[in-house]
Structure formats: C-alpha cells, structure tokens
Amino acid sequence: MNLEKRKVVIAGNWKMNKNLEETKSLLDEMVNAVPSDTKATVLLCVPAINIAAAVECVKGSNINIGAQNVHFEKSGAFTGEISTDMLKSYDVKYSIIGHSERRQYFGETDETVNKRAKACLDADICPIICVGENLEERESDITANVIKNQIEKDLAGFTAEEISRTIIAYEPIWAIGTGKTATARQAQEVCRFIRDTIAGLCNRETAESVTIQYGGSMNAKNAAELLSMPDIDGGLIGGASLKSADFRTIVSCVK
Ligand code: 13P
C-alpha cells in the first residue's frame, strides 16, 4: 500500500451469507471491532436485501455499506435486478462489479461489466471491478494476457477522470475460497501489471492514483504481508469478512 498516493480500501464481500438477524448481529460486532481511527476506508458489501438494515446498523461508525452488483439500466423490466438509483436512495457509494462468481454462474461478461461500471460512475457510485485468471490460465502462463484483456474491455470508453474513480480488485479465481492465497510477490506482480495497463489506457498519473485491491483467501495471517506490497492498496475479503476478529486484524494492518 502507499497511503500517501492512494486510498486504501479494506472491503468485505459477504456473498450470499447472513439473514436479517445475523446481519444485524455481525454488524454490531463489526462496529465495535473496527478501530475508529483506522486510515483504511472500510466497506462491507452485503446482499441487496439486507442493505437497508445494514446502513442503519453502521450509522455513526466508520464502516460503509456496499452492494455486490447493480444493473446498468436506470429502471424497467429487469426482474431480479437493482438499479443505481435504488442504491443511492440508501446512500450506498460502492458496488462490486464483475465478481468471478457472477461471470462464472450468471453470464456476466466484460461487456456487461463495462456497462454496469459506467452506470455506477454516472451515478457517483464507485465500482469495484473484479478481474482475475483461472488456474488453467495461470498454469498456461497467460495471466498477463487475460488480465490485460479484461482491464481493456472493462474500462473501455472511460475517461481518465472516470478511471480515477474506479477501484480494481485483482482476484485470481484459483485463490477464491480455496485457502490457496497468491504469494505476496505474485499478487504484487499482477497489481503492478494492472497499474501499467491502466497507464497505457489513460496516463501514468491516473494509474498511480487508482486503488488496486487483492482478493482470494486473504485472512488475518497473510494480510500484513500482502498489504505491505507497494501496489496492493487493500483487500476484497470473502470468508474472513464474516468473522469480526479476523476482519479487525486485517483492517489493523493498514498503518
Ligand atoms: P475468499 O476471501 O473467501 O477467498 O473470497 C474472496 C472473494 O471472492 C472476495 O470477493
């Protein structure tokens, strides 16, 4: 991380976990656990149905509530989807976009990721755009190509100013929920490569200002090392964001 240059964002992705009561109870724990003087921007992305309650629970704390997805159209016949306007009515300022689970199970493509991210920017919501290679791609040594292709397509048509308002999450698919973390060196290498790719799309100054997170089995034990890398500006955390003590430890690595 480099707190002088960039915002460091520690974000939890709760995925499809926690009903209403469980959400309230875990958020109460989180409000007490997360240090109030942290230099990190702290964010928890909860299932859409629990956003309203979650926003109430964290009021007055330094925890932000984010969404896990949002549609690109403003309104209309899109059963099951939510709009940026709906998020804005709860003052939600962040949404994960293009998580690999959405790409894998729900037909999300780079084109729809691009549209969803653009809709977020237009609504002044920060999109956390997820990219990452699968195991076969890593083993075939084509990680760089895969990442470059995703970044170029996901950010296609964005101005430098718009790119500066995005967050990129590098989440190698083979590391998600597997307990198999990328080494700090592997993660740093790809996060640096993402920054260089962004510089190619707009300019170096903008690229240096973009927050790039690592995600994939980040936990209380490995977070300090990952976050000590110069181009890793935070984490997108699944499993460990469902345990307040572990999440607090990760947030506490930001100094
Ligand atoms: P895990 O931290 O459980 O591996 O999940 C990572 C992730 O997918 C966050 O978006």
Side-chain angles (χ1 to χ4, degrees):
M1 71 184 104
N2 186 335
L3 273 162
E4 270 150 41
K5 273 189 173 168
R6 297 179 282 271
K7 204 154 110 166
V8 171
V9 182
I10 303 295
N13 175 8
W14 282 11
K15 308 192 179 183
M16 195 175 72
N17 289 295
K18 306 292 173 192
N19 66 22
L20 178 60
E21 286 317 309
E22 293 162 346
T23 297
K24 288 181 181 171
S25 142
L26 182 54
L27 285 174
D28 284 347
E29 283 182 33
M30 289 287 188
V31 166
N32 289 318
V34 170
S36 55
D37 59 349
T38 178
K39 293 190 172 117
T41 298
V42 180
L43 171 68
L44 291 169
C45 298
V46 304
I49 194 168
N50 290 326
I51 286 176
V55 166
E56 277 303 309
C57 285
V58 301
K59 241 182 205 153
S61 79
N62 58 348
I63 299 176
N64 297 277
I65 296 299
Q68 298 177 8
N69 188 27
V70 66
H71 200 259
F72 43 85
E73 293 292 349
K74 285 198 160 29
S75 64
F78 302 99
T79 303
E81 293 286 328
I82 60 167
S83 71
T84 54
D85 184 50
M86 293 169 195
L87 291 184
K88 292 221 35 152
S89 61
Y90 290 100
D91 211 20
V92 169
K93 297 195 172 73
Y94 298 85
S95 179
I96 298 170
I97 299 291
H99 191 279
S100 62
E101 286 149 18
R102 298 230 39 104
R103 294 179 191 251
Q104 189 176 353
Y105 306 127
F106 302 102
E108 197 80 63
T109 64
D110 287 313
E111 287 67 33
T112 56
V113 169
N114 176 259
K115 285 168 126 177
R116 289 181 199 266
K118 179 74 169 101
C120 284
L121 292 167
D122 289 347
D124 217 10
I125 291 169
C126 171
I128 300 176
I129 302 168
C130 302
V131 298
E133 81 288 2
N134 64 30
L135 187 59
E136 197 190 329
E137 290 161 343
R138 175 151 287 262
E139 286 177 344
S140 317
D141 231 6
I142 56 167
T143 298
N145 288 350
V146 170
I147 299 290
K148 185 166 191 280
N149 190 41
Q150 287 177 335
I151 291 287
E152 286 178 354
K153 288 184 171 160
D154 295 353
L155 302 182
F158 292 7
T159 64
E161 188 276 332
E162 286 172 330
I163 291 176
S164 75
R165 290 192 285 122
T166 66
I167 293 176
I168 308 296
Y170 168 54
E171 296 208 310
I173 295 167
W174 49 271
I176 296 176
T178 57
K180 222 175 154 187
T181 324
T183 63
R185 233 182 102 204
Q186 284 173 323
Q188 161 61 24
E189 187 181 39
V190 179
C191 290
R192 181 74 220 168
F193 177 75
I194 290 171
R195 204 176 298 292
D196 290 343
T197 305
I198 293 174
L201 286 179
C202 49
N203 57 69
R204 178 54 63 182
E205 195 190 340
T206 302
E208 290 299 324
S209 76
V210 173
T211 295
I212 302 179
Q213 299 173 313
Y214 168 79
S217 299
M218 189 186 263
N219 59 37
K221 291 210 174 87
N222 59 30
E225 193 189 357
L226 286 159
L227 293 170
S228 73
M229 294 291 131
D231 287 286
I232 302 180
D233 313 310
L236 185 54
I237 300 134
S241 75
L242 293 165
K243 296 179 200 130
S244 59
D246 290 6
F247 193 67
R248 175 194 34 214
T249 304
I250 298 171
V251 172
S252 302
C253 295
V254 180
K255 296 189 186 98

